[in-house]
Amino acid sequence: MTDSPAFRLPLDPKEQPILDRILTIRDHLSILKQDRTTYVKSQDVVKYYNQLIEQVELLNQIRETKRDEQNRVDTVLDDCFQLVSLFFLTIGRNQEAPAVYSAISTVKRLLDHLKEAGYYSGKDLGTMALSIQQWRESIERGQQSYSPHLLTLLEARIHVCQERLQELQQSLSRLGPDVVGMYERLVSILRSLSACNTRSKFPVREVKDFEEQLTQIQDELHESRDVHEGKTAEQTYAERMAALSLTEGEIADGPTVIRALLARCLLWIEVIQERQGKIDDRFQDTYDKLLKIRNTLEQMNLTQAWSLRETDLYSFQRQLDRVDESRVNGNFIDAEGRPADLHAQRTLLYLLRKSYAFIYQYIISSEPVSEALLPIYNQLLTLKRCLVEVKRSGGVDSPRELYPYSMKLNSIDNMKKDGKFMVGNDIPEGQASVTALLAECFDLAYELRADSEREREDDDGDAMQLANGSVEVAG
């Protein structure tokens, strides 16, 4: 198993029994995560959560006079809470406090990386602001149900995220409505260029197209390209990094931000065109590792709804955490402690941020349904999409066309026992969500059938009137 970044402070002998117990808990959680022979049951997850909280309470008693202590106990506790959090998502208890832990950890890293990258869009921040608010509500709802030790920890982490979010929002507020569209376009191009830079084969033509777009923007703004005589684009980029960042330096107005970001895009194009996707050999292993993680997470996007168990994200989180925590003062360093050049630094940071972004997306799109009910839930989602599309396209000509949908909906409805979807003798979490979705599908099918019958009656009436008119003329 991939371990968390490890602290090396000495362990208080009094904490050794706690470490032993939480290592055992982590082992049990890992075994549960790997077992695909059956679905994860709510009672198993709650059992390990309660055992974990017992150890946290004991640890807090020992550390009454040393609250800032950090050693291996804390890293293993973090592992356990991450796993428990993802398990709460897996069993469909997304709106409960423990489920928030993993999401907050991921968003904190994303916000830090956005600040470090020096560019981001309002959409990035808006999505995370909404998520943070929802997680805060989950914590408030859990006041009577969950340990104050957990809630205090979650509240502190949310506070840190909120502060960083407000810092980034404030920086973005420097942009007036007249330049926001241009800024968003430049951010999109810069990200697309970073994606091109990580392709297996460097896309020369595509990068050239982006360069032409930037040249067009440059002409619109009546700007000239940075010639940087006697220096490489990489050297110039590094020297002007603070001036080109939205969050650093004293940027007075929106037009200044736009000009700086445009200059950054043009310099970055020069850098990646020169490198042609080739990373510094010293960081090839790290690059390959991050690229593989990014590609795997991206491919999961195609099958997420049908095959993803949220706990699968844990190993990716831990691998990324290891890479992120290995940096020194934000720099990726080689085996001899030397920092990466600018190209490697920005490329590795892009892959790191993009991978965390995928994990965040999978977490927030997790359905509030136990994995035991996901097959039914996903079938209903597909049926709903089909029915909505049929309605959008003008409905059906005959109720007969709805028979396949009705038969499938009735077969799903008949799976219920005493109004519940059962798996053996268990009642998995997410009953309300599945039942509500089933009702939506029945309503859509009913509306389509009613519209079809009404249209047919109108057609019959028109035909009758036409027939009567013909008789009168004949008479």
Side-chain angles (χ1 to χ4, degrees):
M1 183 175 72
T2 307
D3 204 352
S4 301
F7 289 93
R8 298 303 179 193
L9 293 179
L11 182 68
D12 185 330
K14 294 179 183 177
E15 295 184 12
Q16 186 61 51
I18 294 174
L19 176 59
D20 294 340
R21 292 189 195 103
I22 60 177
L23 281 169
T24 301
I25 293 171
R26 189 179 71 173
D27 289 343
H28 286 308
L29 288 169
S30 299
I31 292 169
L32 187 62
K33 176 176 79 73
Q34 293 164 11
D35 184 5
R36 293 280 185 167
T37 60
T38 183
Y39 76 95
V40 178
K41 297 179 177 60
S42 189
Q43 58 266 32
D44 291 335
V45 177
V46 173
K47 175 182 70 175
Y48 292 123
Y49 163 78
N50 289 333
Q51 291 177 10
L52 197 57
I53 291 299
E54 288 175 10
Q55 300 310 309
V56 171
E57 291 173 354
L58 291 173
L59 182 64
N60 285 341
Q61 292 172 15
I62 294 172
R63 292 187 179 176
E64 254 185 281
T65 59
K66 45 179 181 177
R67 291 298 187 192
D68 295 331
E69 178 81 18
Q70 289 283 295
N71 55 43
R72 190 165 180 239
V73 172
D74 300 273
T75 62
V76 180
L77 268 176
D78 185 54
D79 283 344
C80 292
F81 275 122
Q82 290 277 11
L83 275 166
V84 165
S85 177
L86 293 170
F87 269 120
F88 265 78
L89 295 176
T90 302
I91 62 177
R93 296 170 69 166
N94 304 41
Q95 307 302 318
E96 299 186 31
V100 171
Y101 188 96
S102 183
I104 294 176
S105 299
T106 303
V107 161
K108 172 60 169 61
R109 290 188 185 272
L110 268 178
L111 289 169
D112 287 343
H113 293 157
L114 287 177
K115 179 179 180 180
E116 188 177 352
Y119 64 89
Y120 42 87
S121 70
K123 185 178 179 182
D124 295 331
L125 304 185
T127 303
M128 284 187 270
L130 179 62
S131 296
I132 289 171
Q133 179 57 37
Q134 292 172 342
W135 298 332
R136 193 182 292 280
E137 291 170 3
S138 295
I139 293 170
E140 290 172 358
R141 284 195 301 269
Q143 295 293 335
Q144 304 302 319
S145 308
Y146 291 100
S147 165
H149 299 284
L150 172 68
L151 298 179
T152 300
L153 173 63
L154 293 175
E155 285 170 355
R157 291 192 170 204
I158 279 191
H159 180 70
V160 170
C161 288
Q162 193 72 53
E163 285 190 333
R164 177 51 53 84
L165 178 67
Q166 289 172 353
E167 177 188 355
L168 299 182
Q169 287 173 328
Q170 185 176 4
S171 297
L172 207 56
S173 68
R174 295 168 174 165
L175 303 176
D178 55 323
V179 298
V180 167
M182 181 69 75
Y183 172 81
E184 297 280 349
R185 185 180 172 190
L186 288 170
V187 167
S188 176
I189 290 174
L190 190 51
R191 286 182 173 170
S192 297
L193 288 170
S194 294
C196 288
N197 185 46
T198 60
R199 300 267 186 87
S200 56
K201 183 180 180 181
F202 187 76
V204 177
R205 180 65 257 176
E206 192 172 341
V207 171
K208 194 67 180 174
D209 289 342
F210 284 122
E211 185 174 21
E212 290 170 2
Q213 291 180 41
L214 291 171
T215 302
Q216 183 181 353
I217 293 172
Q218 182 179 292
D219 293 340
E220 290 174 16
L221 298 175
H222 306 292
E223 288 292 311
S224 58
R225 194 158 184 169
D226 193 333
V227 181
H228 56 81
E229 291 183 8
K231 297 178 182 177
T232 65
E234 199 164 333
Q235 288 171 328
T236 308
Y237 192 117
E239 289 174 0
R240 296 186 56 188
M241 193 63 199
L244 298 178
S245 171
L246 181 64
T247 55
E248 304 292 341
E250 296 297 326
I251 298 176
D253 53 40
T256 304
V257 174
I258 296 299
R259 288 193 297 271
L261 187 53
L262 173 61
R264 179 172 180 167
C265 289
L266 289 167
L267 285 168
W268 186 238
I269 273 192
E270 287 188 54
V271 172
I272 66 173
Q273 283 176 332
E274 181 182 340
R275 293 300 185 99
Q276 295 282 304
K278 176 65 176 172
I279 200 84
D280 186 330
D281 289 339
R282 297 177 298 150
F283 298 92
Q284 188 66 50
D285 289 345
T286 304
Y287 175 80
D288 290 342
K289 181 177 182 178
L290 289 176
L291 187 65
K292 182 179 179 182
I293 293 173
R294 194 279 308 267
N295 290 345
T296 304
L297 288 169
E298 189 171 32
Q299 289 163 7
M300 286 167 62
N301 195 39
L302 302 173
T303 59
Q304 175 206 356
W306 298 94
S307 63
L308 176 68
R309 177 186 271 189
E310 285 79 0
T311 50
D312 294 341
L313 299 173
Y314 173 79
S315 61
F316 296 111
Q317 283 180 321
R318 280 309 178 229
Q319 291 178 71
L320 294 170
D321 292 349
R322 291 287 286 182
V323 173
D324 203 13
E325 296 287 346
S326 69
R327 296 195 288 159
V328 177
N329 297 324
N331 291 315
F332 292 91
I333 58 172
D334 64 14
E336 298 177 9
R338 295 174 299 174
D341 60 28
L342 183 135
H343 175 260
Q345 175 75 14
R346 307 308 294 181
T347 301
L348 295 175
L349 179 62
Y350 166 76
L351 288 173
L352 196 59
R353 182 191 61 78
K354 189 68 177 176
S355 297
Y356 277 119
F358 276 123
I359 290 174
Y360 165 69
Q361 190 59 45
Y362 294 146
I363 287 175
I364 65 170
S365 60
S366 173
E367 301 290 355
V369 173
S370 165
E371 64 173 353
L373 296 183
L374 267 183
I376 298 172
Y377 189 80
N378 287 328
Q379 288 178 57
L380 288 171
L381 279 178
T382 302
L383 282 168
K384 180 183 175 181
R385 281 194 290 267
C386 291
L387 290 167
V388 168
E389 183 60 27
V390 169
K391 187 172 184 179
R392 191 189 67 79
S393 302
V396 294
D397 295 327
S398 164
R400 285 181 175 277
E401 295 178 38
L402 293 171
Y403 284 178
Y405 301 106
S406 298
M407 289 176 62
K408 185 62 180 177
L409 289 172
N410 285 323
S411 72
I412 291 176
D413 193 37
N414 291 335
M415 294 169 68
K416 292 191 289 186
K417 297 178 183 177
D418 298 326
K420 302 288 185 184
F421 290 96
M422 307 282 287
V423 177
N425 295 322
D426 297 324
I427 304 175
E429 302 282 348
Q431 298 287 328
S433 297
V434 177
T435 302
L437 187 54
L438 178 61
E440 279 187 70
C441 291
F442 270 122
D443 288 343
L444 281 167
Y446 175 80
E447 289 172 15
L448 286 166
R449 184 179 295 106
D451 290 344
S452 174
E453 290 173 349
R454 191 161 41 248
E455 243 181 77
R456 188 172 60 181
E457 288 173 3
D458 290 344
D459 290 343
D460 290 345
D462 291 342
M464 183 68 72
Q465 285 183 347
L466 185 61
N468 291 336
S470 300
V471 170
E472 290 174 6
V473 170

